[in-house]
Amino acid sequence: MRCDYHNGFLQVEDCDLGAIASEVGTPCFVYSRHALEQAWQDYDGAFGTRKHRICYAVKANDNLSVLKALQGVGASFDIVSGGELERALAIGAAPSDLVFSGVGKSEAEIQRALECGIGCINIESVAEVERVAIIAKRLAVQVDVALRVNPDVDAQTHPYISTGLKENKFGIPIDAAIAVYQRVADLPQLRATGIACHIGSQLTSIAPVVEAVTQVVRIAEALAVAGMPLEHIDVGGGLGIRYEEEQPPPVAELVAAMTRAIPERYTVVMEPGRSIVGKAGLMLTRVEYVKPNENRDFVIVDAAMNDLLRPSLYDAWHEVRPYAEASGGEAVRCDLVGPVCESGDWLAKDRTLAVRPGDLLAVLDTGAYGFVMSSNYNARRRPPEILVEGASFRVIRARETFNELLANERAHLIEK
Ligand SMILES: *Cc1c(COP(=O)(O)O)cnc(C)c1O
């Protein structure tokens, strides 16, 4: 997103971040509407005239207004839970535009999806095939399904977000796929329309994706020969983004390489999440204290691991930019840490920053897997989310109140 200094102060699009912080307080997440719409259009444009469908992966950022903006530019949605299904329905997404992924769908989640007429269920095990069939039979409906296969390809990403190796819990082993499609063909409630894979997130090279897609196409072609032709090939999530030194290829390059590997007659389905919203968001936080230490100072800010978990969970690196270009202070080596009672509560390590208490900082590239991973740990209220549109901004999720935080327990409080 456009995030530059104007007259010495940081703006998102044409909106001053200091004005946002004064109005809604810190910490808060700020998203650029233009940036997330543009990122979606980059994918859409890259496919040109190829039959395709881009299903934004809701889990990356599930704010209703974010979903609504993406729906406005033509997005379908990839969901991984009953909660995400409710979010998609809440913005008026057509159920037929939804793909339901995930390794552990419950009976209740499948039933709700079938009742509202889900577009496609991406099934991840033989047991799930049977479960979906039983529920569909009970409801007397037929449902389109794809099998998510596990191609045993190394995505070369962080182990926690690598999903395409056979030791990962995801998908049906690729060698078993044809037998499972044969089982699906015997079940009148299921109609196998596609095949899916997703080898991991924060992908920065094309080769593993093409390798996985090639294997998936091989299965699809074998199924066609066996009289079970498919209509679509779902290639999974999108590219990684540049947080620090990563060099993800341009979207157009990935799309070109994939579509070359997929025969024209298939619709290509893609489920990008991170690359749509990641660079379209930042988190604003204010410095509470600067605490000198032997090797480097602790800059204690008002945001913590409960607001942005990625550093603690994945050792993730996010650029930190001061709101005021020239703070006047002396730059020192420091760790940016939060108020939570964990040594793992840090946002950035070993940075050189000139900061004083009260200064405002922007933690960049936090639009994806940011707010969605937030929690109430240490009884902290989850932060508000703000959408910038040109020179104006609006709150798209209010900061939680202490009342909201306590309500579900107050109603059930023991007497003594
Ligand atoms: C997480 C996930 C995605 C999105 O991946 P990104 O790397 O954020 O693009 C897509 N599909 C499935 C099945 C997922 O689990």
Side-chain angles (χ1 to χ4, degrees):
M1 69 181 167
R2 203 147 56 74
C3 176
D4 322 291
Y5 289 100
H6 287 266
N7 303 322
F9 296 100
L10 204 56
Q11 290 188 347
V12 161
E13 297 187 25
D14 300 312
C15 194
D16 180 67
L17 289 174
I20 294 178
S22 332
E23 186 160 326
V24 306
T26 51
C28 66
F29 282 90
V30 180
Y31 310 128
S32 155
R33 179 168 189 166
H34 176 76
L36 60 95
E37 291 174 347
Q38 185 62 53
W40 191 88
Q41 279 159 342
D42 287 347
Y43 275 99
D44 194 43
F47 280 94
T49 55
R50 259 315 270 269
K51 281 185 290 183
H52 68 283
R53 174 189 286 231
I54 302 163
C55 301
Y56 166 66
V58 171
K59 75 170 187 272
N61 184 324
D62 63 15
N63 183 285
L64 295 182
S65 295
V66 168
L67 302 185
K68 192 82 192 166
L70 290 171
Q71 180 192 38
V73 289
S76 299
F77 298 100
D78 174 64
I79 57 168
V80 294
S81 72
E84 289 187 357
L85 174 58
E86 296 308 326
R87 285 181 172 275
L89 295 176
I91 61 138
S96 57
D97 282 346
L98 305 179
V99 174
F100 195 173
S101 301
V103 72
K105 302 175 199 80
S106 71
E107 282 205 26
E109 287 175 321
I110 293 166
Q111 176 161 338
R112 176 84 171 119
L114 294 188
E115 280 168 353
C116 67
I118 191 98
C120 187
I121 298 191
N122 284 3
I123 292 182
E124 299 216 15
S125 62
V126 177
E128 191 185 342
V129 168
E130 303 302 332
R131 179 177 273 189
V132 173
I134 288 167
I135 299 169
K137 189 166 182 190
R138 196 167 67 220
L139 298 176
V141 295
Q142 198 192 39
V143 59
D144 289 356
V145 302
L147 297 186
R148 172 173 175 180
V149 300
N150 184 328
D152 194 22
V153 166
D154 186 356
Q156 292 153 19
T157 184
H158 189 285
Y160 288 9
I161 50 175
S162 183
T163 56
L165 287 167
K166 62 172 182 273
E167 67 254 36
N168 300 136
K169 67 181 174 182
F170 299 97
I172 293 164
I174 193 147
D175 296 333
I178 290 184
V180 184
Y181 274 101
Q182 272 155 352
R183 173 64 185 145
V184 171
D186 290 338
L187 295 164
Q189 299 80 22
L190 306 192
R191 197 172 79 95
T193 55
I195 184 164
C197 68
H198 168 69
I199 60 169
S201 196
Q202 184 53 14
L203 307 176
T204 51
S205 52
I206 289 176
V209 186
V210 171
E211 190 187 331
V213 168
T214 303
Q215 291 199 47
V216 164
V217 167
R218 185 170 52 77
I219 301 291
E221 297 290 84
L223 287 168
V225 170
M228 294 179 277
L230 301 177
E231 295 157 17
H232 75 264
I233 301 216
D234 181 337
V235 299
L239 278 171
I241 61 173
R242 183 183 172 95
Y243 290 103
E244 187 179 10
E245 310 268 65
E246 302 93 330
Q247 303 273 11
V251 166
E253 236 169 75
L254 172 73
V255 169
M258 279 181 342
T259 49
R260 268 199 300 277
I262 301 174
E264 290 265 357
R265 68 175 173 283
Y266 297 105
T267 298
V268 183
V269 177
M270 201 171 182
E271 308 160 346
R274 186 188 307 272
S275 47
I276 302 288
V277 288
K279 296 199 81 77
L282 57 76
M283 183 179 69
L284 281 178
T285 182
R286 216 177 268 287
V287 178
E288 297 278 10
Y289 303 99
V290 177
K291 185 168 161 179
N293 198 29
E294 216 163 276
N295 293 321
R296 43 191 205 242
D297 294 353
F298 289 114
V299 172
I300 303 170
V301 297
D302 63 3
M305 66 188 288
N306 76 294
D307 304 300
L308 180 68
L309 184 60
R310 289 183 25 79
S312 306
L313 184 62
Y314 308 122
D315 216 2
W317 193 96
H318 287 274
E319 183 182 343
V320 177
R321 225 178 253 181
Y323 163 64
E325 197 167 13
S327 87
E330 182 197 348
V332 292
R333 282 181 66 198
C334 58
D335 289 351
L336 213 70
V337 302
V340 161
C341 303
E342 299 260 356
S343 293
D345 176 29
W346 57 274
L347 298 174
K349 277 189 176 157
D350 202 5
R351 305 297 169 87
T352 305
L353 289 170
V355 285
R356 286 176 300 203
D359 283 0
L360 192 59
L361 299 172
V363 183
L364 301 192
D365 307 326
T366 47
Y369 307 107
F371 180 87
V372 285
M373 285 188 166
S374 65
S375 76
N376 295 117
Y377 189 35
N378 280 210
R380 289 167 55 84
R381 296 171 298 162
R382 281 174 297 167
E385 295 172 281
I386 313 302
L387 189 67
V388 170
E389 296 165 308
S392 66
F393 69 88
R394 55 170 124 181
V395 176
I396 55 171
R397 180 190 165 105
R399 188 183 307 281
E400 272 180 333
T401 64
F402 287 121
N403 262 338
E404 287 167 335
L405 215 56
L406 305 187
N408 287 338
E409 292 150 74
R410 270 204 182 117
H412 300 279
L413 184 59
I414 58 171
E415 273 159 30
K416 58 175 176 175

